[in-house]
Amino acid sequence: MKYLVTGGAGYIGSIVATMLLEEGHDVVVLDDCSTGSAERVPAGATLVRKPVQQAGDVLDGTFDAVLHFAGLIAAGESMSRPDIYWEANTAGTFALLDAMREANVKTLVFSSTAAVYGNPTEVPIKEEAAKAPTSTYGATKLSSDMAIASEVTAYGLAAVSLRYFNVVGAYRDQGGLWHGENHEPETHIIPIAFDAASGKRESFGLFGDDYPTPDGTCVRDYIHVADLADAHLLALKAAEAGEHKIYNLGNGNGFSNKEVVATVKRITGVDFPVEIGPRRPGDPAELVASSERAKTELGWKPSRDTLDRMVADAWEYYQHARR
Ligand SMILES: NC(=O)c1ccc[n+]([C@@H]2O[C@H](COP(=O)([O-])OP(=O)(O)OC[C@H]3O[C@@H](n4cnc5c(N)ncnc54)[C@H](O)[C@@H]3O)[C@@H](O)[C@H]2O)c1
Ligand SMILES: O=c1ccn([C@@H]2O[C@H](COP(=O)(O)OP(=O)(O)O[C@H]3O[C@H](CO)[C@@H](O)[C@H](O)[C@H]3O)[C@@H](O)[C@H]2O)c(=O)[nH]1
């Protein structure tokens, strides 16, 4: 099969592209490298360095499906720079849908997010839960999901939206090369805690300890990037014309920020200083997934589901393989 992977120069897209190549498929990456890097595009994939808004220049009838990862991802930043989030995420998805329709490409797998739910009324969060994003980032993803739903209804697109919870960890490919998280600038809790453990930062700044959670810090559901990538391969097979399938992807276990920091300290063996600061705007208190639907309908079986394994793989990549 031939796939277009938008955002394939980023963390998750480059790992899914690697796995698609390992399965023998052809992969074209469309990425403007605004937050990703050309170096991360796996050998064997072709990189077209353009914004997703110009997907029409790349897509033609030879593609079997599109996996759409491209976009801006930091919920905190989306509160201070909403315009660039609406442009990259929502306008980007609109342009991609236009280009797919024009080129008669019928299958889409989209990177949606837990951030569409906002502060949930019930945990674990099921797909039918109310959508009330607390960040502009979440709103841009929810509006993209809605545009995809309309495209499915009106034009018979086969679409799957995967709502990832917090993606962490690293993937060691069949050639022994590690691929992992290396955002620039980094905003995510685990790599930032590694910066503190390795002395790159003097301390770890924890955003808020007055949330309505057991220890006062936010609770998140972490998913290993390789388990997440497996779900994409299953989603490609499950996509059906005229259906918009939606799956939450997490492990159903909530870890507080304090617990995550303690795990990083234990795995790295370094006891770095932690400074409690104010809340970060846009952060919901608790996000924990119910992924029963993905397990039942896709046959998804996460196998790297302990926080220790996720942090250990991420640390392996952080220490030895980051480019
Ligand atoms: N990392 C997570 O925990 C997480 C959780 C939920 C959802 N997601 C979603 O998964 C997707 C991938 O996330 P990631 O962690 O790999 O992020 P990333 O920043 O590593 O990758 C995103 C890629 O998109 C590219 N990009 C950004 N704007 C673009 C544009 N207008 N045109 C073309 N390319 C553009 C960047 O250069 C980058 O390579 C994103 O859509 C994100 O919203 C991520
Ligand atoms: O230096 C830091 C960085 C983060 N945090 C906290 O750690 C938690 C997790 O934050 P982060 O790692 O930035 O992830 P999220 O903001 O939860 O967002 C991730 O997970 C979401 C799904 O849950 C996705 O939608 C987003 O794209 C993805 O970035 C939050 O409470 C943050 O406030 C800190 O306390 N200090």
Side-chain angles (χ1 to χ4, degrees):
M1 302 290 246
K2 182 174 172 185
Y3 296 117
L4 183 72
V5 178
T6 78
Y11 168 43
I12 304 167
S14 65
I15 289 174
V16 174
T18 301
M19 287 191 173
L20 288 169
L21 289 164
E22 288 176 345
E23 291 216 330
H25 303 295
D26 289 336
V27 174
V28 176
V29 166
L30 175 64
D31 197 304
D32 63 4
C33 297
S34 53
T35 57
S37 140
E39 282 181 13
R40 298 169 69 104
V41 176
T46 306
L47 169 64
V48 179
R49 194 170 180 155
K50 281 187 180 209
V52 68
Q53 288 85 336
Q54 291 171 27
D57 296 352
V58 186
L59 272 177
D60 60 28
T62 64
F63 286 90
D64 294 290
V66 176
L67 297 101
H68 180 33
F69 299 92
L72 299 177
I73 69 160
E77 182 191 53
S78 77
M79 304 305 284
S80 55
R81 303 203 60 198
D83 47 330
I84 61 172
Y85 277 73
W86 288 110
E87 174 56 38
N89 294 357
T90 308
T93 300
F94 290 168
L96 179 66
L97 290 172
D98 286 345
M100 290 180 69
R101 201 183 319 115
E102 191 81 7
N104 206 25
V105 180
K106 296 280 194 194
T107 303
L108 174 67
V109 176
F110 173 59
S111 304
S112 187
T113 168
V116 302
Y117 297 109
N119 278 308
T121 48
E122 233 177 83
V123 175
I125 304 171
K126 294 192 178 138
E127 290 80 357
E128 52 275 6
K131 281 80 184 168
T134 53
S135 66
T136 300
Y137 166 70
T140 65
K141 288 288 186 172
L142 180 58
S143 53
S144 300
D145 270 342
M146 293 167 85
I148 291 167
S150 304
E151 192 75 17
V152 165
T153 307
Y155 301 109
L157 182 72
V160 182
S161 287
L162 299 177
R163 293 196 173 138
Y164 321 158
F165 283 60
N166 289 54
V167 187
V168 295
Y171 175 62
R172 192 169 187 208
D173 70 24
Q174 289 173 356
L177 197 67
W178 281 95
H179 305 260
E181 186 167 15
N182 193 2
H183 296 112
E184 189 53 58
E186 191 53 76
T187 60
H188 292 104
I189 185 167
I190 291 174
I192 288 181
F194 289 160
D195 284 350
S198 62
K200 199 173 152 196
R201 291 172 197 248
E202 281 181 10
S203 62
F204 175 82
L206 208 163
F207 300 139
D209 66 350
D210 58 348
Y211 284 93
T213 57
D215 69 15
T217 65
C218 291
V219 169
R220 294 287 181 273
D221 183 350
Y222 292 86
I223 171 172
H224 194 293
V225 67
D227 284 339
L228 180 79
D230 287 343
H232 287 74
L233 307 189
L234 295 168
L236 283 167
K237 293 190 183 118
E240 283 183 72
E243 284 199 42
H244 185 201
K245 300 185 178 184
I246 299 178
Y247 300 103
N248 287 346
L249 294 172
N251 283 303
N253 302 315
F255 292 94
S256 75
N257 292 342
K258 280 189 178 164
E259 288 173 318
V260 171
V261 169
T263 305
V264 170
K265 287 186 177 186
R266 189 163 37 75
I267 299 281
T268 61
V270 183
D271 185 11
F272 49 84
V274 175
E275 282 172 17
I276 311 284
R279 292 181 178 196
R280 188 175 67 180
D283 275 349
E286 182 174 12
L287 291 172
V288 177
S290 163
S291 297
E292 290 315 307
R293 189 189 282 179
K295 288 178 181 162
T296 313
E297 291 186 17
L298 296 178
W300 181 60
K301 289 194 198 85
S303 60
R304 306 138 182 117
D305 55 354
T306 64
L307 187 61
D308 276 22
R309 166 74 191 270
M310 297 180 219
V311 172
D313 283 359
W315 181 232
E316 184 69 33
Y317 169 75
Y318 183 95
Q319 286 180 291
H320 303 299
R322 277 204 334 170
R323 283 178 284 168

